[in-house]
């Protein structure tokens, strides 16, 4: 039996396509939510769009770092930033990221919200069940299922490498 091949070319999304994904995602959400918890960096843009659509002003962020690829795949992450437990306790929290690829980040963040006494739900633009490490879990809400490498419009020509090549250097 041969395993399916993954597409090699990335899928570049436009802002209009992201708008459509948000328009599809928002009606699924079963709020009301007390707060949004945006996972940096991927969840910031879609989370802001969801916050605007839902009229939510209480926005929190979480920054999670996993060990590099050469280290253990299921190693515990470092939380670079995470809200205090008192901000999550007894709250209905929507955790937002751009994509559920292997599921480690969202599963870890939801677990930490639960441990703080909150009631988390996870929302993403794209869900990749074929690469998920958690076969019995997935995001609570998603706009699309894919097996592609997704490049969002806010990722195009960004980052330190691109920034250095686009900005003139002054001596």
């Amino acid at each position: 039996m041969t395993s399916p091949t993954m597409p090699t070319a990335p899928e570049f999304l436009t802002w209009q396509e992201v708008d459509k994904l948000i328009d599809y995602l928002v009606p699924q959400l079963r709020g009301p939510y007390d707060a949004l918890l945006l996972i940096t960096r991927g969840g910031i843009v879609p989370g802001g769009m969801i916050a605007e659509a839902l009229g939510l002003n209480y926005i929190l962020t979480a920054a999670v770092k996993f060990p590099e690829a050469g280290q253990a795949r299921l190693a515990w992450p470092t939380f670079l930033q995470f809200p205090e437990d008192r901000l999550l306790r007894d709250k209905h929290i929507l955790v937002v990221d751009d994509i559920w690829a292997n599921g480690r980040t969202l599963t870890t963040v939801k677990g930490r919200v639960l441990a703080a006494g909150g009631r988390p739900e996870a929302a993403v633009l794209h869900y990749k069940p074929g690469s998920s490490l958690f076969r019995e879990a997935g995001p609570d809400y998603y706009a699309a299922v894919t097996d592609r490498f997704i490049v969002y419009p806010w990722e195009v020509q960004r980052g330190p490498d691109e920034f250095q090549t686009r900005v003139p250097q002054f001596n």
Side-chain angles (χ1 to χ4, degrees):
M1 172 187 232
T2 60
S3 59
T5 58
M6 296 298 283
T8 55
E11 181 176 347
F12 290 87
L13 297 185
T14 65
W15 284 106
Q16 292 79 16
E17 290 167 325
V18 171
D19 280 338
K20 287 179 185 176
L21 291 168
I22 294 292
D23 288 345
Y24 184 78
L25 182 63
V26 168
Q28 296 178 50
L29 303 176
R30 293 185 303 261
Y33 297 100
D34 297 304
L36 293 186
L37 178 55
L38 313 183
I39 297 176
T40 64
R41 292 176 317 236
I44 291 176
V45 173
M49 296 171 81
I50 291 169
E52 187 67 28
L54 298 178
L56 286 170
N57 295 322
Y58 196 51
I59 313 297
L60 305 166
T61 58
V64 183
K65 181 180 179 187
F66 282 89
E68 298 300 320
Q71 299 175 358
R73 191 171 190 186
L74 297 176
W76 192 252
T78 301
F79 289 93
L80 305 171
Q81 176 185 354
F82 205 85
E84 296 178 29
D85 288 358
R86 66 179 178 80
L87 299 174
L88 304 171
R89 190 172 300 114
D90 300 321
K91 302 279 194 275
H92 191 196
I93 307 292
L94 182 63
V95 181
V96 180
D97 206 351
D98 53 359
I99 192 164
W100 175 297
N102 62 31
R104 292 188 309 168
T105 301
L106 276 162
T107 300
T108 301
V109 169
K110 280 183 69 175
R112 185 141 173 201
V113 171
L114 276 170
R119 297 180 317 279
E121 292 183 334
V124 295
L125 297 178
H126 288 94
Y127 175 36
K128 295 175 79 171
S131 62
S132 180
L133 298 174
F134 304 91
R135 298 293 178 218
E136 301 300 319
D140 299 289
Y141 311 103
Y142 52 90
V145 174
T146 189
D147 63 352
R148 303 288 303 268
F149 180 82
I150 304 295
V151 180
Y152 296 99
W154 55 88
E155 296 174 320
V156 177
Q157 297 181 345
R158 300 285 192 271
D161 294 336
E162 288 294 330
F163 184 76
Q164 293 299 329
T165 61
R166 291 184 295 133
V167 176
Q169 299 298 313
F170 299 100
N171 294 331

